[in-house]
């Protein structure tokens, strides 16, 4: 499913994050789907399908989910609590859900609109519990690198760029204030997109005559 402006100088040396391969992401999702804890699976699906920050996913309430038009409003937490919720790194417009995520959320028990989508008895899990759950799931899935919540965000961004999504598309989806931020963090990872650019250049010279008279 399709995952779907400021001048930032000095970011060229920003550390480049790791990410899962698409096969590893599929193995993680499959492992969690067979587990006994529903919120582990829901959290991973939201992270991999939207690429949002873990805090934004954990603050998403059922009232922020519109299954009719298939959107998720990650800015709603900021609007509810402008001093408590972080606006940084959140998309300004509601995000469209792909069919897999929409089907999963539609099948969950939505008893109270003020409950978090990812919840333990109506309360959002703390970040330590989430980190532990993702690390254990990664181990059970046979993934060699440590799986963390932020790794899932980086996986989304990197594979979206590798899949041909534009820097502007991915930047807006991630909620970055500038494409420069997205480029500084992820540009070294979407090598397949760069390969496409080099192949385009090759088409310009492939049939060129050896000499021009």
């Amino acid at each position: 499913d399709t995952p779907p402006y400021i001048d930032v100088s000095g970011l060229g040396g920003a550390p480049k994050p790791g990410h899962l391969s698409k096969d590893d992401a599929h193995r993680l999702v499959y492992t969690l789907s067979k587990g006994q804890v529903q919120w582990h699976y829901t959290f991973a699906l939201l992270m991999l399908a939207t690429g949002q920050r873990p805090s934004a996913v954990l603050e998403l309430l059922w009232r922020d989910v519109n299954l009719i038009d298939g959107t998720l409003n990650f800015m709603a937490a900021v609007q509810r609590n402008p001093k408590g919720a972080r606006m940084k790194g959140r998309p300004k417009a509601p995000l469209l859900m792909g069919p897999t995520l929409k089907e999963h959320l539609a099948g969950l028990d939505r008893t109270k609109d003020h409950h978090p989508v990812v919840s333990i008895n109506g309360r959002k899990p703390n970040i330590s519990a989430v980190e532990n759950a993702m690390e254990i799931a990664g181990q059970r899935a046979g993934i060699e690198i440590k799986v963390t919540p932020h790794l899932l965000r980086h996986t989304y961004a990197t594979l979206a760029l590798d899949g041909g999504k534009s820097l502007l598309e991915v930047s807006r989806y991630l909620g970055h204030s500038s494409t420069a931020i997205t480029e500084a963090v992820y540009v070294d990872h979407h090598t397949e997109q760069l390969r496409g650019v080099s192949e385009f250049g090759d088409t310009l010279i492939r049939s060129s005559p050896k000499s021009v008279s």
Side-chain angles (χ1 to χ4, degrees):
D1 300 317
T2 300
Y5 303 33
I6 57 175
D7 179 24
V8 181
S9 58
L11 282 179
K16 302 298 186 290
H19 66 280
L20 299 178
S21 67
K22 186 176 289 187
D23 285 344
D24 279 346
H26 289 166
R27 280 202 297 272
L28 180 69
V29 168
Y30 178 79
T31 298
L32 287 168
S33 73
K34 300 302 180 183
Q36 301 298 314
V37 186
Q38 183 66 65
W39 71 262
H40 293 179
Y41 182 44
T42 300
F43 176 82
L45 288 186
L46 281 165
M47 289 297 302
L48 288 170
T50 70
Q52 299 308 298
R53 293 181 182 274
S55 59
V57 168
L58 294 176
E59 289 168 359
L60 187 73
L61 305 184
W62 278 114
R63 66 179 57 162
D64 308 329
V65 178
N66 190 327
L67 291 174
I68 296 176
D69 62 11
T71 59
L72 303 170
N73 185 0
F74 287 100
M75 278 297 290
V78 178
Q79 295 159 357
R80 284 191 297 268
N81 184 16
K83 293 184 178 180
R86 296 178 62 195
M87 184 179 295
K88 179 182 177 183
R90 298 191 188 219
K92 293 177 175 57
L95 299 185
L96 284 170
M97 289 183 274
T100 302
L101 180 60
K102 184 177 179 181
E103 180 181 0
H104 172 73
L105 295 182
L108 297 181
D109 182 16
R110 182 176 180 163
T111 55
K112 297 184 184 296
D113 274 357
H114 65 276
H115 280 179
V117 176
V118 178
S119 69
I120 304 173
N121 298 322
R123 296 175 179 271
K124 71 175 182 180
N126 62 53
I127 191 62
S128 295
V130 176
E131 290 171 344
N132 187 56
M134 294 302 103
E135 181 177 359
I136 292 174
Q139 293 170 352
R140 289 177 176 170
I143 297 172
E144 295 183 358
I145 62 175
K146 180 180 178 180
V147 176
T148 67
H150 264 98
L151 184 76
L152 303 184
R153 174 174 165 87
H154 298 323
T155 296
Y156 171 90
T158 302
L159 296 185
L161 289 168
D162 274 345
K165 302 307 172 187
S166 73
L167 199 61
L168 180 61
E169 282 180 295
V170 175
S171 180
R172 287 179 172 175
Y173 215 80
L174 294 176
H176 285 165
S177 57
S178 166
T179 55
I181 296 174
T182 315
E183 183 175 19
V185 177
Y186 298 107
V187 71
D188 286 353
H189 290 275
H190 60 289
T191 54
E192 290 307 310
Q193 191 175 27
L194 297 178
R195 187 194 307 277
V197 175
S198 67
E199 289 174 353
F200 168 75
D202 189 67
T203 65
L204 298 181
I205 63 173
R206 188 178 303 148
S207 301
S208 62
K210 299 297 182 182
S211 62
V212 178
S213 57

